[in-house]
Amino acid sequence: MKALAMLGIGNIGWIEKERPACGPLDAIVRPIALAPCTSDVHTVWEGAIGDRYDLILGHEGVGEIVEIGELVKAFKPGDRVIIPAITPDWNSLEAQAGFGQHSNGMLGGWKFSNIKDGVFAEFIHVNDADGNLALLPDSISPEAGAMLSDMMPTGFLGAEMANIQFGDKVCVIGIGPVGLMAVRGAALKGASDIFAVGSRPNCVAIAREYGATDIINYKDGPILDQVFAKTDDLGVDRVIIAGGNVDTFDEAVKMVKPGGVVSNVNYLGEGDYIKIPRAEWGVGMGHKTITGGLMMGGRLRVEKLAAMVVAGRVDPNKLITHHFEGFDKAEEALLLMKDKPADLIKPVVSISW
Ligand code: NDP
Ligand code: ZN
């Protein structure tokens, strides 16, 4: 089969690989919509997880099942499914502890385009199909469904980990597709004020549509100063980080109130340490929680998120700014993600076979 792969740090290209075999608990899926991710960019062009050779890229997509293992109960060939970016081993001890993302080791649930071939392939292998795939509702297009592989689960995780309470003031740092979904998640969780940090007009417009009450352009000066100016120097109750770098934590910790949470979903592609300001962290006693997590995946989780889309609570179509037709266009879409033109939020590739 043909696939788009990482050929070493900074290099991608089309390769031929053997069609994956289907084990008893697995499924083989043919993609009908694929989306590249900023994470693919960190992986290939920043070498964030080290070198990989001939590893098929991609972890966001919707497809049609073409084969199932003999023990798979919930799905059948012909079903249209969302393929979550994270595909845990659901019988692992970590999954039993509630953290399938880390099944069999930290980040072990992140298999696609990390420790196994990803989804930019003519055939996609999905482990533990009953636990990992999610049925695509008829009313959600495959393209919108592809936003449920990673963007919506990750942005919503950011809002969940922030433990937002009714009336909280929330700052969302970064309003690419993940941060935009975090804005929507924060609004649905009951935030009163949402300060969305970003610079590109497209993203700013969608942030407002998703519920942002204020926009902060980090290019106009420190985010911290702008947040304090808008909050009578009090800061915010929650910060969600979906952009920036290791230094972003400095401002996040400073702007969050005691008892608040800094919730990171950003993939920190560079740097050895994150920065926590000692004094503003209450000299170690400020009750300012700093947390960071990987999206969860799982059939129940992703089908519940899909139910929110069906019910009209979230419209993931707003994220899609660039549309490609045909499997061959996956490369162009990924390169677009790398170059990130100002009007790009999320590209998607539609495929018919
Ligand atoms: P984007 O690159 O599209 O968005 C990043 C956002 O951060 C943009 O709004 C950008 O602003 C803003 N930004 C950039 N630099 C700074 C800065 N110095 N200070 C403040 N804001 C800044 O990324 P995505 O939305 O696609 O993804 C966000 C992160 O989430 C990525 O690191 C991605 O790898 C990660 N991720 C994590 C997952 C998880 O499970 N935890 C899953 C999927 C993705 P501007 O508009 O000016 O560019
Ligand atoms: Zn992704």
Side-chain angles (χ1 to χ4, degrees), residues 36-40 59-60 85 150-151 346:
C37 179
T38 305
S39 300
D40 294 308
H59 52 260
E60 300 182 15
D150 192 357
M151 298 299 93
K346 195 81 183 173

Side-chain angles (χ1 to χ4, degrees), residues 55 237 316:
L55 176 81
D237 302 287

Side-chain angles (χ1 to χ4, degrees), residues 85-146:
I86 304 304
T87 49
D89 300 310
W90 288 101
N91 60 2
S92 65
L93 292 177
E94 293 82 0
Q96 288 176 40
F99 293 94
Q101 303 97 316
H102 306 294
S103 54
N104 299 312
M106 191 159 66
L107 309 181
W110 172 20
K111 298 180 189 296
F112 289 133
S113 63
N114 180 14
I115 53 174
K116 81 178 240 199
D117 280 329
V119 303
F120 292 170
E122 289 178 309
F123 295 95
I124 301 157
H125 171 270
V126 180
N127 59 294
D128 217 340
D130 280 338
N132 281 319
L133 289 173
L135 270 180
L136 179 74
D138 289 340
S139 61
I140 303 181
S141 69
E143 292 74 18

Side-chain angles (χ1 to χ4, degrees), residues 4-15 17 39-57 113-114 117 334-335 338:
L4 182 65
M6 174 164 173
L7 309 176
I9 293 174
N11 255 321
I12 61 166
W14 293 96
I15 59 167
K17 263 204 174 175
S39 300
D40 294 308
V41 176
H42 292 309
T43 298
V44 178
W45 286 280
E46 290 171 14
I49 52 171
D51 215 348
R52 298 287 191 279
Y53 192 76
D54 268 5
L55 176 81
I56 301 175
L57 289 164
S113 63
N114 180 14
D117 280 329
L334 178 54
L335 291 172
K338 172 172 88 72

